[in-house]
Amino acid sequence: MNGINNNVSTLRAWASGNWFIPTLSGVLILISFALEKLGGGSANPTIGPQWWLDAGAHATHAQGVFTLADVFMIAAAVVAGYQIVIKAFRALSVKIIGIDLLVSVAAIGALIIGNFWESAAVTFLFAIGHALEVATLNKTRSALSELVAVAPDWATVIRDGQQQDIPAGQVQMGEIVLVKNGAKVPVDGEVVSGTAAIDQATITGESIPVEKAVGDQVFAGTVSRGGFLQVEATGVGRDTTLARIIHRVEEAQDAKARTQAFMDRFSRWYTPAVMVLALATGLITGNVVLALTLLVIGCPGALVISIPVAIVAGIGRAARNGILIKGGEYLETSAKISAVALDKTGTLTEGQPVLTDIVTLDSDMNKTEVLRWAAMAEAGSEHPLARPILDSAREAGVSPDGIPGTVTPVPGKGIITDIDGQNVLIGNSALLEQYEVMNDGGAGKIATTLAFEGKTPMIIAIDDRVIGVIAVADQIREDAPEMIARLHRAGVKKVVMLTGDTQLVAESVGKATGIDEIHASLLPEDKLDVVQKLQAEGHTIAMVGDGVNDAPALATADIGVAMGAAGSAVAVETADIALMGDDLLKLPESIGLAKRTVSIMRQNIAIALITVALLLAGVFAGGVTMSVGMLVHEASVLVVIINAMRLLRNTNGATAAPKATAQTKKTVEQVNA
């Protein structure tokens, strides 16, 4: 009984699928051909009024009768065409003249003049084309399907001291979730116990599992490849990174590019123009078949679908590789990028500076005391360079208690704090000049020497006397030079560094990485000015930054890029391009993919227009019938879809430059040293 029910369910599913109608229509056409081959079936004089024949019925019906073969052919046209007519009527009711209307008019007209085979062929081929379009478009959306498929269904949690398996959506914030070897991580969370190798390919595009330990972040949908973790849930259900990615990709694939919006406007005028052309041709020539054939071959199906299928495939391919692109408009803009502006700290460098030097300039103080004052001043600072100072103070046993009374940031220069009634300044020479602190201990020269070594120096002063200079250094990323080379290979003409660091430090990093243009000692508004200047020069700018100090420049740039966005819900939702992993090489990859997508969009438009032009020429030259026109039309639709599906292939190395040379690596090592 179960087997019968399953078979019935399968048949019902197939009958409601995309292939049922073209299959049924095709069977009816084959029966018609078979009957005609056997002698036309049984004649029925009651079928077919004389006015039908007078309208120009086919010669085979000259005796005023329809054969059984004709009946099956008409049935095939009706089966394949009734949904097309319904769609055309619905579109017309909201004042939209679309492809369905062209096919409907042509098919009904062919029936009226007795061209039953042409009517059946046109509707049958159109139905097949629709089914193939749906199937191939689903294939281009496979990246989204894969993301949905990796969403975890179950989670193992600790409740009442016991392990319990519950639906992943029922995990509560703050609960402890167990992730065993081979299991999917069901929530976003922080590891509180254990170690494991986690495959994060679905989120960041990384092909190699990442080692996770206490304090590390994990994401829902990733998979444990070995080890055991206890994870405190910080994001569940729709609040997980995976859910945000799925939502973002879904929106992006439906968002229209500027070219697509133009093509939609074009088709709204083009389709009525084809109908007018067909009507005029019929009236002038008196050839109804020619007019109906023009309707069929003028269908802009390949033209309409050429853009969205490429966008869906391009955004899907990017999502598989850990790159989220906001939509078709941003994809098109990314293909035009000619200049890239990069922040130094956290982009070209590791973003984890360490304290390297402490120079004492006050005879009454030693290095530990200078470090203590620096740490007390930085205790209330949010600047990234405060962390290595505080860490070093903790290691030296002079970690400050609490925070200073007041903390006044001086953008681009440093900070001034109030500690026990004394003003403590820590920053560059410009800060000392602003507060008229005498620099008679050679602090400026020492800072310059440290900067030449690729370090960031900070002068420390208490009230009006300088007590010392400390320096921190950030490690240049090993793949930074290769990223710059790949950007150039991807067509980017200028790579610019924008940093608030000193000119000497910036030049040291720029020399090691191959940066084209360096702008140092910048305030946030200065970065904005540089971006605007590049735009005035005609560049399309992509800005890569942290979204805090770089916020004005990121907002002004043509494309704002966020790196390491997997850990930031805001970046996933707002960045024009969100690189989920902290991988520099994803930046040139995203630009290269955008250029390939736009190139395929242009190819598809050319294929569609050339096909219509050749068919038009063939119609007026003779030899192209309605059925042949529809066959070629549907073939062109499939060609543009298959062309777009090439984007689904992973070609990360397409724009890759050679690895950094030994000399470049040596330079990086020297700067880092």
Side-chain angles (χ1 to χ4, degrees):
M1 193 66 178
N2 288 335
I4 295 174
N5 291 335
N6 290 337
N7 290 334
V8 171
S9 299
T10 302
L11 286 173
R12 286 178 178 173
W14 181 76
S16 61
N18 294 315
W19 288 101
F20 175 72
I21 287 177
T23 301
L24 180 57
S25 177
V27 169
L28 292 172
I29 290 173
L30 290 176
I31 293 173
S32 175
F33 282 147
L35 289 173
E36 188 172 349
K37 192 74 172 175
L38 294 173
S42 57
N44 187 347
T46 65
I47 302 177
Q50 188 61 40
W51 68 264
W52 188 303
L53 300 172
D54 293 339
H58 200 275
T60 57
H61 313 118
Q63 303 302 316
V65 296
F66 293 126
T67 65
L68 192 57
D70 294 331
V71 174
F72 275 95
M73 194 65 77
I74 294 170
V78 172
V79 166
Y82 83 94
Q83 284 190 340
I84 302 172
V85 174
I86 291 173
K87 289 179 182 178
F89 178 78
R90 287 175 178 171
L92 201 58
S93 66
V94 291
K95 300 179 180 180
I96 295 176
I97 299 176
I99 302 170
D100 294 310
L101 183 60
L102 295 182
V103 176
S104 298
V105 172
I108 293 171
L111 285 176
I112 291 174
I113 65 174
N115 281 353
F116 306 139
W117 154 243
E118 295 286 1
S119 180
V122 165
T123 53
F124 169 66
L125 289 170
F126 193 79
I128 285 181
H130 174 71
L132 287 171
E133 284 175 36
V134 172
T136 48
L137 278 172
N138 287 340
K139 177 65 176 177
T140 61
R141 291 183 180 271
S142 58
L144 184 58
S145 301
E146 289 172 8
L147 286 173
V148 173
V150 302
D153 298 320
W154 294 91
T156 302
V157 299
I158 301 296
R159 288 183 178 176
D160 301 324
Q162 301 290 326
Q163 292 188 28
Q164 296 184 25
D165 291 331
I166 62 172
Q170 294 182 11
V171 177
Q172 299 177 5
M173 295 286 284
E175 276 197 299
I176 300 300
V177 178
L178 305 184
V179 181
K180 303 175 183 179
N181 182 22
K184 290 180 183 178
V185 179
V187 297
D188 282 4
E190 182 178 325
V191 178
V192 295
S193 177
T195 60
I198 301 295
D199 182 351
Q200 299 188 145
T202 53
I203 303 295
T204 65
E206 296 171 278
S207 58
I208 301 175
V210 178
E211 290 293 331
K212 298 290 185 178
V214 175
D216 289 336
Q217 193 173 17
V218 294
F219 307 105
T222 57
V223 181
S224 174
R225 297 303 183 195
F228 177 78
L229 296 177
Q230 293 186 38
V231 176
E232 181 180 348
T234 58
V236 298
R238 295 181 180 180
D239 292 329
T240 64
T241 300
L242 178 63
R244 285 190 289 269
I245 291 174
I246 292 172
H247 176 68
R248 175 70 179 269
V249 172
E250 192 172 37
E251 284 188 334
Q253 289 186 334
D254 291 335
K256 292 185 177 181
R258 284 190 292 268
T259 302
Q260 183 182 351
F262 169 77
M263 295 307 298
D264 288 346
R265 292 194 300 271
F266 173 77
S267 65
R268 282 200 295 269
W269 289 97
Y270 171 85
T271 306
V274 169
M275 298 191 72
V276 172
L277 173 64
L279 178 62
T281 301
L283 292 174
I284 293 171
T285 65
N287 190 335
V288 178
V289 175
L290 176 61
L292 295 177
T293 304
L294 285 176
L295 286 178
V296 171
I297 63 99
C299 289
L303 198 60
V304 171
I305 202 171
S306 60
I307 307 301
V309 70
I311 289 172
V312 167
I315 289 176
R317 175 71 268 172
R320 283 182 181 176
N321 290 355
I323 301 167
L324 295 187
I325 301 176
K326 202 170 188 178
E329 178 182 350
Y330 303 94
L331 191 67
E332 277 192 300
T333 302
S334 298
K336 302 175 185 176
I337 291 172
S338 58
V340 174
L342 303 166
D343 186 29
K344 177 182 72 71
T345 304
T347 303
L348 293 170
T349 61
E350 297 287 351
Q352 297 178 340
V354 294
L355 185 67
T356 58
D357 297 86
I358 302 175
V359 180
T360 302
L361 296 176
D362 188 319
S363 57
D364 295 333
M365 291 191 181
N366 57 32
K367 291 184 177 183
T368 301
E369 290 174 313
V370 170
L371 176 61
R372 181 174 65 86
W373 279 102
M376 286 192 292
E378 293 285 4
S381 173
E382 295 180 353
H383 196 279
L385 297 183
R387 178 51 50 196
I389 296 172
L390 293 170
D391 289 343
S392 296
R394 186 179 304 107
E395 293 174 3
V398 291
S399 182
D401 296 326
I403 59 173
T406 60
V407 179
T408 306
V410 184
K413 298 178 181 180
I415 60 172
I416 179 170
T417 63
D418 176 23
I419 301 175
D420 298 332
Q422 294 179 292
N423 285 330
V424 180
L425 291 78
I426 178 167
N428 54 28
S429 297
L431 181 68
L432 271 61
E433 292 174 6
Q434 179 176 334
Y435 286 90
E436 299 180 350
V437 176
M438 295 296 295
N439 182 14
D440 56 0
K445 292 182 179 179
I446 294 171
T448 301
T449 301
L450 292 170
F452 265 120
E453 297 173 0
K455 302 170 183 176
T456 301
M458 288 171 279
I459 303 171
I460 306 160
I462 301 176
D463 291 331
D464 58 355
R465 63 191 178 100
V466 176
I467 64 170
V469 180
I470 62 175
V472 297
D474 198 356
Q475 302 290 306
I476 296 175
R477 296 193 184 199
E478 288 188 3
D479 52 358
E482 186 177 352
M483 177 198 66
I484 305 300
R486 288 193 182 194
L487 285 173
H488 287 141
R489 286 285 297 273
V492 176
K493 298 177 181 178
K494 185 180 289 187
V495 183
V496 181
M497 180 198 300
L498 306 181
T499 179
D501 217 332
T502 64
Q503 184 70 28
L504 292 175
V505 173
E507 287 179 355
S508 175
V509 174
K511 180 180 178 182
T513 56
I515 292 287
D516 300 311
E517 193 174 295
I518 297 169
H519 297 269
S521 302
L522 299 181
L523 303 176
E525 55 267 30
D526 295 329
K527 294 183 179 182
L528 172 61
D529 291 340
V530 174
V531 169
Q532 290 176 330
K533 181 182 176 182
L534 288 168
Q535 288 174 326
E537 293 174 0
H539 287 290
T540 300
I541 309 294
M543 174 71 192
V544 185
D546 59 15
V548 182
N549 293 327
D550 307 319
L554 280 167
T556 303
D558 299 285
I559 294 292
V561 182
M563 285 189 60
S568 171
V570 174
V572 170
E573 295 294 337
T574 61
D576 299 328
I577 296 179
L579 307 179
M580 301 307 291
D582 199 23
D583 183 355
L584 286 178
L585 301 183
K586 293 293 182 183
L587 179 59
E589 181 185 334
S590 62
I591 295 174
L593 179 59
K595 289 181 180 293
R596 284 169 46 219
T597 303
V598 170
S599 175
I600 283 178
M601 286 164 53
R602 291 170 179 164
Q603 293 169 19
N604 283 351
I605 292 173
I607 291 169
L609 292 176
I610 290 171
T611 300
V612 171
L614 291 176
L615 284 173
L616 280 172
V619 169
F620 287 109
V624 175
T625 63
M626 274 192 286
S627 55
V628 171
M630 181 54 71
L631 180 62
V632 175
H633 163 74
E634 292 302 336
S636 69
V637 170
L638 291 179
V639 168
V640 299
I641 291 176
I642 292 169
N643 190 40
M645 288 178 67
R646 293 190 296 125
L647 290 166
L648 296 178
R649 294 183 300 174
N650 197 353
T651 55
N652 291 350
T655 58
K659 293 286 186 178
T661 63
Q663 181 59 44
T664 303
K665 287 185 176 180
K666 183 177 179 181
T667 305
V668 171
E669 290 170 358
Q670 288 174 343
V671 172
N672 286 339

